[in-house]
Amino acid sequence: MAFDNEQDADVVVIGAGPAGIVAAYEIASQTNLRVLMMERIKRLHDSREVANGFMGGSSRSDLKLFLTPGFGGEIQNRYCIADVVEFLEFFGKRRIRRVKGRLTDKQVGWLESFGVQVDEPEVGQMTTEHLGAVEKALYWWLNKRVDFRSNCGLVNLARERGGFRLETNVGTFKTRYCVLAMGRGGTRWLVESGIGAKVEETSYDLGVRLEFPQAILADLVGKNPNFRLRFGDFRTTAISEHGTVELENVYGTQTANGRTMAGRLTGNSNFGLLRTMKSQKPLEEVARAAQIVNVLADNQLLKESPARLLNGTSQLNYLPEFVAIKEGLQKIFEIWPAIRSRGSLYAPEARLNAGRVQTSAHFETDVPGLYCGGDMGGQTKSFVQACAAGMLAGRHIVCKETGLH
């Protein structure tokens, strides 16, 4: 493919989150390919951007690293997970602390008596300070080897002989390889792009976030703060102990998430309650439901007493998608009645990467040279898994270029 100008590259990575960063690192550290990284956010290190910017906003919060293969995503490759940990420890210049606590057999038995399944993955912990050091070192390393373009948003992607043409808000670029790592909101963009990558659309995850005094779960969290529950179509997310509920802006849709920062601990904890709902148009339906709640809450998160959704006085009762959450709420209140009386409910908590992009084990789509990794692809739902996806994609490009395996 002939390049028109110096702005073109051998590889364009779209998105400076964990998947994009690791993919760029793998390629830049092992080849002499020209790598261009684009990020639509203007300020890469803005602490207000909980879900965007360099490292996808992950460095703005204490981080739980799910080290159990297949947990928080579909990647089962234990060696790749270990390489991600080594990568983070190298740039952070310190070892990642493993959380060794487990719930007692009695506690697990008590939870299971309510008809739920308890998951306790292997977890590593990184503080905001530690993540900041990783972010700084990574940015310094990549900035010397990769062409960074912030405030550079992808508008259109088209196949061209020998590669791709990318139209952005700042100009047009050509590339031989393209790695899409645009985060949760990027899945819908890919479907609408018409580039030809196949996306499976069968279900979406939607729910609420519950905030409550830390003391309610103190006995359990004191043993293991990383347990999760599953029952029927429902699951809980990781607990943000002593944290806050934050608003995430995902391509114009506001959704809730939890955030814990070592220097700003609160007396509350929170977790998400999500239900997997079958749908033939999940990307459209989850976005529509979330955006209706955004309108009801004046483009903020809707906050109210958890009891209102159950007794029919919540604005959410007008939306069948949230009425379907009632069953899960009743189960949570059965286990912890105090959350109903002393907690707060935030809505929406939505997973906007409702489609699953069909890719190879190395995250190459059925469009040769086009890769899709991280949460955008729907195969990963956690930081470590997103890093692993970027690592596998980057290494596959390296193998194509060098002939190594």
Side-chain angles (χ1 to χ4, degrees):
M1 175 176 213
F3 293 128
D4 290 338
N5 56 62
E6 293 182 358
Q7 295 189 110
D8 298 330
D10 297 298
V11 184
V12 172
V13 179
I14 303 171
I21 287 171
V22 178
Y25 169 81
E26 290 291 331
I27 298 164
S29 64
Q30 299 181 64
T31 72
N32 291 319
L33 296 176
R34 297 165 63 186
V35 181
L36 169 63
M37 176 173 279
M38 300 177 179
E39 171 56 52
R40 66 187 182 90
I41 297 299
K42 183 176 182 179
R43 298 178 179 86
L44 289 177
H45 310 282
D46 192 340
S47 62
R48 296 167 296 180
E49 287 288 352
V50 179
N52 303 299
F54 194 75
M55 287 186 72
S58 298
S59 60
R60 266 70 89 190
S61 174
D62 291 357
L63 185 64
K64 295 181 178 182
L65 306 173
F66 297 110
L67 307 179
T68 301
F71 195 91
E74 300 177 11
I75 298 174
Q76 299 281 351
N77 190 325
R78 182 175 293 275
Y79 300 103
C80 186
I81 300 298
D83 285 349
V84 169
V85 172
E86 183 178 346
F87 170 85
L88 294 171
E89 290 181 336
F90 173 78
F91 279 100
K93 297 184 178 178
R94 73 175 87 166
R95 294 191 63 80
I96 292 170
R97 181 175 68 86
R98 265 63 168 184
V99 180
K100 298 180 179 180
R102 305 282 292 183
L103 298 179
T104 66
D105 291 342
K106 183 177 180 179
Q107 289 172 323
V108 172
W110 176 74
L111 287 169
E112 290 179 342
S113 71
F114 293 96
V116 303
Q117 182 173 333
V118 182
D119 293 325
E120 294 187 85
E122 181 185 358
V123 173
Q125 191 84 32
M126 296 184 74
T127 64
T128 310
E129 179 185 9
H130 189 181
L131 276 165
V134 173
E135 177 186 19
K136 184 177 180 180
L138 263 172
Y139 184 75
W140 180 87
W141 192 96
L142 287 171
N143 206 36
K144 289 180 174 296
R145 298 164 177 84
V146 172
D147 183 5
F148 266 109
R149 301 292 177 95
S150 61
N151 197 28
C152 183
L154 182 62
V155 177
N156 186 52
L157 175 64
R159 283 191 268 188
E160 192 166 281
R161 186 175 181 180
F164 304 91
R165 177 180 292 274
L166 298 88
E167 296 177 11
T168 75
N169 59 308
V170 297
T172 301
F173 303 83
K174 289 182 180 180
T175 184
R176 291 195 290 130
Y177 299 102
C178 182
V179 179
L180 297 173
M182 299 162 65
R184 294 176 181 172
T187 319
R188 187 172 184 180
W189 183 94
L190 181 61
V191 171
E192 296 173 350
S193 71
I195 189 66
K198 295 180 181 178
V199 181
E200 299 174 2
E201 298 184 74
T202 59
S203 64
Y204 63 90
D205 291 342
L206 180 69
V208 297
R209 183 156 286 262
L210 298 169
E211 183 182 50
F212 46 86
Q214 169 75 11
I216 293 176
L217 267 64
D219 290 345
L220 295 170
V221 171
K223 290 291 185 181
N224 182 7
N226 303 305
F227 73 90
R228 295 186 181 190
L229 305 181
R230 286 187 287 131
F231 50 99
D233 296 328
F234 293 92
R235 63 182 173 88
T236 61
T237 68
I239 299 171
S240 296
E241 64 270 25
H242 297 291
T244 57
V245 177
E246 300 284 340
L247 181 150
E248 285 188 356
N249 184 336
V250 183
Y251 287 83
T253 301
Q254 318 302 326
T255 180
N257 208 340
R259 188 182 194 187
T260 298
M261 299 183 69
R264 303 178 187 176
L265 300 180
T266 72
N268 294 326
S269 292
N270 64 80
F271 62 76
L273 173 66
L274 297 169
R275 182 167 192 170
T276 300
M277 304 187 188
K278 301 297 182 182
S279 171
Q280 294 182 343
K281 297 182 178 180
L283 290 166
E284 293 181 18
E285 291 185 10
V286 68
R288 180 191 61 82
Q291 288 165 2
I292 289 175
V293 179
N294 292 165
V295 172
L296 293 174
D298 195 22
N299 214 33
Q300 298 295 315
L301 296 176
L302 180 67
K303 179 183 178 182
E304 60 186 22
S305 166
R308 294 190 62 184
L309 184 56
L310 293 186
N311 63 29
T313 61
S314 170
Q315 295 182 80
L316 298 175
N317 286 102
Y318 294 101
L319 297 171
E321 296 89 346
F322 285 93
V323 173
I325 306 297
K326 283 184 174 184
E327 180 185 344
L329 273 181
Q330 289 170 335
K331 178 68 70 175
I332 295 299
F333 298 158
E334 182 184 353
I335 301 172
W336 297 294
I339 293 182
R340 175 171 183 162
S341 58
R342 300 174 61 193
S344 297
L345 178 149
Y346 294 81
E349 174 112 353
R351 296 294 182 263
L352 297 171
N353 55 336
R356 185 187 183 281
V357 181
Q358 294 184 17
T359 69
S360 69
H362 302 96
F363 294 90
E364 186 175 21
T365 70
D366 50 359
V367 178
L370 180 65
Y371 295 76
C372 184
D375 289 0
M376 177 179 177
Q379 304 101 321
T380 70
K381 300 177 182 179
S382 67
F383 183 86
V384 168
Q385 288 270 324
C387 288
M391 184 172 285
L392 291 168
R395 288 177 177 178
H396 195 244
I397 293 173
V398 171
C399 289
K400 282 187 173 183
E401 289 294 307
T402 64
L404 299 175
H405 295 283

